[in-house]
Amino acid sequence: MTRQAPGRKGEPVLGNARAFQADILQALQRGRREYGDIVRFEGIGPLFPVFFVGHPDGVKEILQDKHRNFPKTPFVSDRWRALVGDGLICSEGELWKRQRRLCQPAFHRRLITSFATGMTEVTAELLDRWEVAARAHREVDVTLDMTRLALSVLGGALFGANWRQDSEVMAHAVEVAIGEAYKKFGKFVSLPESVPTPANLRFARARKQLDRIIYRVIEDRQADRGPHPDDLLEALMTATEDDGSGMTVEQVRNEVMTFMFGGHETVASGLTWALYLLSRHPEIAARLETEVDEALGGRLPGVEDLPRLPYVDRVVRESLRLYPPVSLISRTPLQDDTVQGYDIPKGSMVLLSSYVTHRHPDFWPNPEGFDPDRWIPLGEQGPHRYAWWPFSGGPRKCIGDVFGLQEMKLVLAMMAQRVRIRLAPGHPVIPRPGITLGQEHGVIATVALREKAPTAAPRALPVADPEAVAAAAAAAGCPVHGGGAR
């Protein structure tokens, strides 16, 4: 027997629209507290009802058990498509399945572990700049610096050495495109791209710049018969199905764009929030420093060190619980359905929020507290498979989760070795949901240098025995998960 979900009418005429616009995450959190784990919100969209599902069992139904009937909400996918084409993030059906199979080799454990050196090198360059800022008593913009760090890491992983020659142009184009995309994702209705508004023109120019560089690099690879770098682009270009078919040039471009936009903003958001939380909890930061000092003895970390950094792992997982980078997603059922016994009509919008579910009091005691040690008895997954889902779940689980976890752990370990971050007095840090969970005014901080800093150069991964490195990564909790880039 099914039933109607309880509803929140909100204000006359406007319904819940103004509450969603002001702070959608708090509106959903408030709805769950007042009405339960499935809530109908009125007055949001004129053409469809909006439901919120907050219980892990309901999340599992939608993302895993009934995923075929709950594809992405069309207008959300259309906005992504303007940026990445039919990449994994917005393709559906047989096209998605094929692209998912072809993309998986790019995230093989051996290849992901090989990117560790690039991660530590980019982090070392940033820490050198932060040291100069610290000695000059100059504040740093953590949000901006984490975005640039994550983009540099991903650019190197995608294009190898080719990234350096185009990095400034690509970084600017990505920044412009993401800025305009943020504005569009915050609106239910926006002008089509064909309307030549200043915003649409900026977006189009940025996308054209990125396309010009990406297509040029692909063409250079196709023309060069010599050895190619072992990077993500090469993995995409050489991936084949059983019948020998691979991706077209356009499909390669789409997946490169998908990884570029989906893969650096998420890591940047996760790192920024982790540093914010550590700055608010100096006792936890001190424990992190102690573990890193004892495990590494002053040298820089490698993937093989991650099994000996369990507190780093717990800090990362707890940070992702409180501030998951992808804090809100939506699905739209193709046919009438039920979730946890409640009717969900065809064509409605169903909202899922890891931010809210990660604070569900039935699964997380002291849900607002930053407590890395809560993970000791829970293991890697938490109290329920869908009580902690920062990388989504089901068949469309993020394909880059291992990459992101590895990067976050290495970066935080290196930062704990050399610096301490303190928030600038009086600077407000306010969550801003969008493509990722950003900060309304950024995170501005001061940097204090630790007395002891590592002096050894970044250690290259063992080339002769890559499987040994892969085994170390698996022991560190970094298996390659089946799933797609959402």
Side-chain angles (χ1 to χ4, degrees), residues 336-400:
D336 291 346
D337 212 327
T338 62
V339 175
Q340 291 191 274
Y342 289 98
D343 291 329
I344 306 293
K346 170 185 176 180
S348 58
M349 174 185 277
V350 180
L351 297 177
L352 307 175
S353 173
S354 53
Y355 181 94
V356 177
T357 303
H358 288 185
R359 287 168 165 76
H360 200 300
D362 292 351
F363 298 89
W364 302 103
N366 184 24
E368 296 289 344
F370 181 49
D371 180 15
D373 283 344
R374 75 167 78 236
W375 288 89
I376 294 175
L378 295 177
E380 294 180 1
Q381 201 54 66
H384 182 295
R385 171 62 189 85
Y386 284 90
W388 185 80
W389 52 284
F391 303 102
S392 192
R396 299 191 75 120
K397 187 172 185 287
C398 179
I399 199 171

Side-chain angles (χ1 to χ4, degrees), residues 34-238:
E34 294 177 1
Y35 295 93
D37 290 314
I38 297 187
V39 186
R40 175 176 174 140
F41 289 89
E42 298 184 9
I44 303 299
L47 302 179
F48 45 73
V50 175
F51 294 84
F52 170 66
V53 177
H55 194 281
D57 287 343
V59 175
K60 178 177 180 291
E61 277 193 67
I62 292 170
L63 294 184
Q64 180 174 314
D65 301 339
K66 300 178 178 179
H67 69 91
R68 288 184 178 84
N69 193 42
F70 284 91
K72 293 194 170 191
T73 300
F75 85 84
V76 175
S77 292
D78 289 344
R79 292 177 184 185
W80 268 114
R81 191 170 286 107
L83 195 61
V84 304
D86 283 319
L88 280 179
I89 204 166
C90 57
S91 58
E92 298 285 353
E94 291 304 315
L95 173 61
W96 174 82
K97 290 180 182 179
R98 182 178 188 274
Q99 289 301 103
R100 166 67 180 76
R101 289 193 300 269
L102 288 169
C103 286
Q104 187 58 53
F107 291 89
H108 188 278
R109 187 183 299 132
R110 177 200 61 78
L111 190 56
I112 297 303
T113 56
S114 74
F115 297 142
T117 299
M119 294 172 180
T120 56
E121 287 175 347
V122 170
T123 305
E125 291 173 2
L126 173 63
L127 287 170
D128 288 343
R129 293 195 297 273
W130 275 8
E131 181 174 342
V132 173
R135 297 190 188 283
H137 305 288
R138 194 169 65 242
E139 293 177 341
V140 299
D141 185 334
V142 177
T143 301
L144 180 60
D145 285 344
M146 290 305 99
T147 300
R148 290 172 175 171
L149 179 148
L151 184 58
S152 291
V153 168
L154 190 60
L158 275 168
F159 304 115
N162 286 321
W163 162 253
R164 291 289 180 176
Q165 70 183 75
D166 298 307
S167 59
E168 290 188 14
V169 173
M170 293 188 75
H172 175 71
V174 168
E175 183 179 346
V176 171
I178 284 182
E180 298 304 329
Y182 256 107
K183 297 173 187 176
K184 285 180 177 287
F185 273 83
K187 302 174 183 176
F188 276 97
V189 178
S190 61
L191 291 174
E193 193 181 346
S194 58
V195 179
T197 64
N200 282 343
L201 292 174
R202 285 193 299 271
F203 181 83
R205 282 195 299 268
R207 185 180 56 194
K208 187 175 181 179
Q209 281 184 312
L210 291 170
D211 279 346
R212 185 167 57 246
I213 294 171
I214 291 170
Y215 281 125
R216 190 201 72 222
V217 174
I218 292 173
E219 290 172 3
D220 289 346
R221 292 279 181 97
Q222 290 176 323
D224 184 4
R225 293 183 174 82
H228 293 172
D230 196 8
D231 53 25
L232 293 178
L233 176 61
E234 190 67 15
L236 294 175
M237 292 180 64
T238 57

Side-chain angles (χ1 to χ4, degrees), residues 150-480:
L151 184 58
S152 291
V153 168
L154 190 60
L158 275 168
F159 304 115
N162 286 321
W163 162 253
R164 291 289 180 176
Q165 70 183 75
D166 298 307
S167 59
E168 290 188 14
V169 173
M170 293 188 75
H172 175 71
V174 168
E175 183 179 346
V176 171
I178 284 182
E180 298 304 329
Y182 256 107
K183 297 173 187 176
K184 285 180 177 287
F185 273 83
K187 302 174 183 176
F188 276 97
V189 178
S190 61
L191 291 174
E193 193 181 346
S194 58
V195 179
T197 64
N200 282 343
L201 292 174
R202 285 193 299 271
F203 181 83
R205 282 195 299 268
R207 185 180 56 194
K208 187 175 181 179
Q209 281 184 312
L210 291 170
D211 279 346
R212 185 167 57 246
I213 294 171
I214 291 170
Y215 281 125
R216 190 201 72 222
V217 174
I218 292 173
E219 290 172 3
D220 289 346
R221 292 279 181 97
Q222 290 176 323
D224 184 4
R225 293 183 174 82
H228 293 172
D230 196 8
D231 53 25
L232 293 178
L233 176 61
E234 190 67 15
L236 294 175
M237 292 180 64
T238 57
T240 57
E241 293 267 64
D242 291 340
D243 62 3
S245 64
M247 296 188 205
T248 65
V249 169
E250 183 180 6
Q251 287 169 336
V252 171
R253 173 267 181 202
N254 291 343
E255 302 307 348
V256 166
M257 292 283 272
T258 296
F259 297 157
M260 182 175 296
F261 284 94
H264 93 275
E265 276 279 298
T266 49
V267 173
S269 171
L271 284 170
T272 301
W273 285 115
L275 291 172
Y276 162 79
L277 287 166
L278 289 170
S279 71
R280 294 285 304 273
H281 298 271
E283 73 286 356
I284 292 176
R287 282 187 62 185
L288 192 70
E289 291 173 4
T290 298
E291 177 181 83
V292 169
D293 290 347
E294 292 177 352
L296 301 177
R299 60 178 172 77
L300 299 188
V303 174
E304 66 275 19
D305 294 308
L306 295 182
R308 296 187 295 116
L309 297 171
Y311 197 65
V312 172
D313 177 77
R314 296 201 297 273
V315 166
V316 168
R317 291 181 185 279
E318 182 69 348
S319 299
L320 292 173
R321 182 186 72 82
L322 283 172
Y323 296 103
V326 182
S327 59
L328 184 67
I329 62 175
S330 67
R331 296 291 187 264
T332 293
L334 300 174
Q335 303 296 332
D336 291 346
D337 212 327
T338 62
V339 175
Q340 291 191 274
Y342 289 98
D343 291 329
I344 306 293
K346 170 185 176 180
S348 58
M349 174 185 277
V350 180
L351 297 177
L352 307 175
S353 173
S354 53
Y355 181 94
V356 177
T357 303
H358 288 185
R359 287 168 165 76
H360 200 300
D362 292 351
F363 298 89
W364 302 103
N366 184 24
E368 296 289 344
F370 181 49
D371 180 15
D373 283 344
R374 75 167 78 236
W375 288 89
I376 294 175
L378 295 177
E380 294 180 1
Q381 201 54 66
H384 182 295
R385 171 62 189 85
Y386 284 90
W388 185 80
W389 52 284
F391 303 102
S392 192
R396 299 191 75 120
K397 187 172 185 287
C398 179
I399 199 171
D401 57 346
V402 177
F403 185 103
L405 283 172
Q406 175 178 298
E407 182 177 352
M408 285 189 68
K409 293 176 190 179
L410 291 173
V411 171
L412 288 181
M414 288 182 66
M415 290 187 169
Q417 288 179 312
R418 291 181 58 177
V419 300
R420 291 177 179 140
I421 301 297
R422 296 290 181 264
L423 296 176
H427 182 78
V429 178
I430 302 170
R432 182 187 67 175
I435 296 176
T436 57
L437 185 60
Q439 300 82 33
E440 190 68 39
H441 308 288
V443 175
I444 307 300
T446 59
V447 179
L449 300 178
R450 292 191 62 198
E451 292 182 4
K452 295 181 180 180
T455 57
R459 193 162 38 150
L461 295 173
V463 176
D465 189 10
E467 294 303 321
V469 179
C478 296
V480 172

